[in-house]
Amino acid sequence: MRALVYNGPKDVSVENVPDAAVEKPTDVVVKVTATNICGSDLHMYEGRTDIEPGSVFGHENLGEVVEVGTGVQNLQVGQRVCLPFNIGCGFCNNCERGLTAFCLSIHPPAAGGAYGYADMGPYRGGQAEYLQVPHADFNALVLPEDSVEKENDYAMLSDIFPTGWHGTRLAKLEPGETIAIYGAGPVGTMAGYSAVLQGASRVFVIDHIPERLELAERFGAVGIDANDGDPVEQIMEATEGRGVDRGVEAVGYQAHDVEGNERPNMTMNALVEVVKPTGGIGVVGVFLPQDPGASDELARNGQLAFDFGKFFFKGQSMGTGQANVKAYNRRLCNLIHQGKATPSRLVSHNLGLADAPTAYRDFDNRERGWTKVVLNPTNG
């Protein structure tokens, strides 16, 4: 089968790899019809992780079940399913508590596994024609009958829509509150959209790329352009000096200032500054335990110069970590099915698998018009 293979920094290609297959009775094989390029894929693409050459990318996957293991009870050939990016077993202590991003048995001794992702197990990604799905009864979300018509919407359930929602839950957002979100990429925009859907009174989204801010505003947020001055000062002025009730970090360890300097602690410290005393912060941007490509010694070891004293004296709280997608995807699916949510407005490109190397290059270069890319392997 054809798949997108990582060869080295900024070098991916579509190659023939061994076919996905049912290897355990609880597996299914899915014919991939939609697989998204995620911002966190770019960390690997740029060589900022220890992903191995020969690995197949792709953790945001949707498709049709074409083969079912003998131990699978609830799935049938022909069903269309969306797959959480994080793989859970369904029976470990964390999965039983709904913390499927931190499954204890899928990639021991680490907590958590994922498709096609550095340090998250041996599982191939879905930027390919077919995908092996472990513990399929637990992991696969069967989609409604409008899944072809709304494929771009449902594809967002694999990661970015639940991850954006997760950021607001980590921050403990309540209806009527205000929130500031750092980053107007797909996850930050979905965090803003999630806050709107949950009844936030004002949603500020901060970025320095005007095109991204325009898109976030179409989802109901107020765009804060870092090119116009310190975002903290802009938000404090907009809130008459009060700041916001909640904050979400949706940028991660490769945060840059408007001059292009990498400052991995910038967004975290800005949120401590702008969030009110006793407010909550949710961190869903990716931070790694090690980053050999970082510009300073702290960051190379996964550490930040964090304003902990201010954080402590303001009595703020913080929640972190990857989204437990299964905790949210069924209800978010219902919102899409009933026409209450349309995350597909993010999508700028639907392309064939053969176009993936070019798509990675242009998406990584932040070319104008490249906001969210969906690859459709069945279309070439």
Side-chain angles (χ1 to χ4, degrees), residues 101-122:
F102 304 93
C103 176
L104 299 172
S105 73
I106 207 73
H107 180 45
Y115 301 101
Y117 204 86
D119 300 318
M120 297 196 74

Side-chain angles (χ1 to χ4, degrees), residues 75-366:
L75 298 174
Q76 300 174 2
V77 170
Q79 288 180 319
R80 285 173 54 81
V81 296
C82 187
L83 305 165
F85 77 88
N86 34 41
I87 306 168
C89 68
F91 53 77
C92 74
N93 184 56
N94 282 348
C95 283
E96 285 186 343
R97 294 188 294 144
L99 304 175
T100 53
F102 304 93
C103 176
L104 299 172
S105 73
I106 207 73
H107 180 45
Y115 301 101
Y117 204 86
D119 300 318
M120 297 196 74
Y123 308 99
R124 282 197 305 197
Q127 289 172 10
E129 293 180 300
Y130 296 92
L131 177 68
Q132 176 198 5
V133 179
H135 300 290
D137 275 332
F138 182 69
N139 287 297
L141 174 69
V142 178
L143 297 172
E145 64 275 6
D146 58 356
S147 66
V148 174
E149 172 193 350
K150 296 182 176 181
E151 182 170 78
N152 279 354
D153 287 302
Y154 289 120
M156 302 304 120
L157 293 175
S158 58
D159 182 353
I160 60 168
F161 194 12
T163 294
W165 196 278
H166 184 57
T168 67
R169 302 325 308 141
L170 290 173
K172 302 178 182 178
L173 176 70
E174 296 290 340
E177 291 187 326
T178 54
I179 188 168
I181 297 156
Y182 254 95
V187 168
T189 298
M190 286 295 93
Y193 188 33
S194 297
V196 170
L197 290 170
Q198 293 172 47
S201 57
R202 297 188 81 185
V203 179
F204 300 98
V205 176
I206 304 119
D207 208 295
H208 64 275
I209 300 177
E211 180 185 29
R212 286 183 168 188
L213 292 171
E214 291 168 8
L215 184 57
E217 288 177 341
R218 290 201 291 272
F219 279 95
V222 176
I224 299 293
D225 191 338
N227 296 294
D228 295 337
D230 184 353
V232 171
E233 293 180 2
Q234 291 187 59
I235 293 173
M236 295 302 286
E237 181 177 355
T239 59
E240 299 178 341
R242 291 188 294 270
V244 292
D245 299 295
R246 310 290 167 183
V248 172
E249 204 290 337
V251 179
Y253 71 109
Q254 287 184 262
H256 289 73
D257 61 24
V258 293
E259 285 80 29
N261 303 306
E262 194 164 296
R263 294 174 53 197
N265 65 340
M266 177 183 72
T267 55
M268 295 294 297
N269 288 338
L271 285 170
V272 170
E273 189 71 32
V274 79
V275 171
K276 296 176 183 177
T278 73
I281 299 169
V283 183
V284 290
V286 173
F287 289 86
L288 298 179
Q290 295 88 32
D291 177 20
S295 57
D296 65 74
E297 187 64 28
L298 278 177
R300 283 193 285 272
N301 291 293
Q303 300 169 356
L304 299 175
F306 179 59
D307 289 341
F308 188 79
K310 185 172 292 185
F311 174 78
F312 174 85
F313 265 85
K314 292 182 78 171
Q316 294 168 336
S317 61
M318 183 185 299
T320 69
Q322 293 182 333
N324 306 298
V325 171
K326 277 182 60 66
Y328 311 108
N329 66 351
R330 191 172 302 276
R331 285 174 289 175
L332 297 182
C333 178
N334 292 339
L335 290 178
I336 292 170
H337 182 53
Q338 297 299 329
K340 303 293 187 182
T342 53
S344 63
R345 288 179 286 160
L346 273 175
V347 176
S348 58
H349 294 75
N350 280 89
L351 301 171
L353 189 62
D355 299 313
T358 300
Y360 264 89
R361 182 197 66 200
D362 291 343
F363 192 38
D364 185 57
N365 289 337
R366 276 64 172 180

Side-chain angles (χ1 to χ4, degrees), residues 41-52:
D41 287 330
L42 299 182
H43 302 315
M44 298 183 291
Y45 174 73
E46 293 171 358
R48 293 290 291 267
T49 69
D50 56 2
I51 191 78
E52 293 290 331

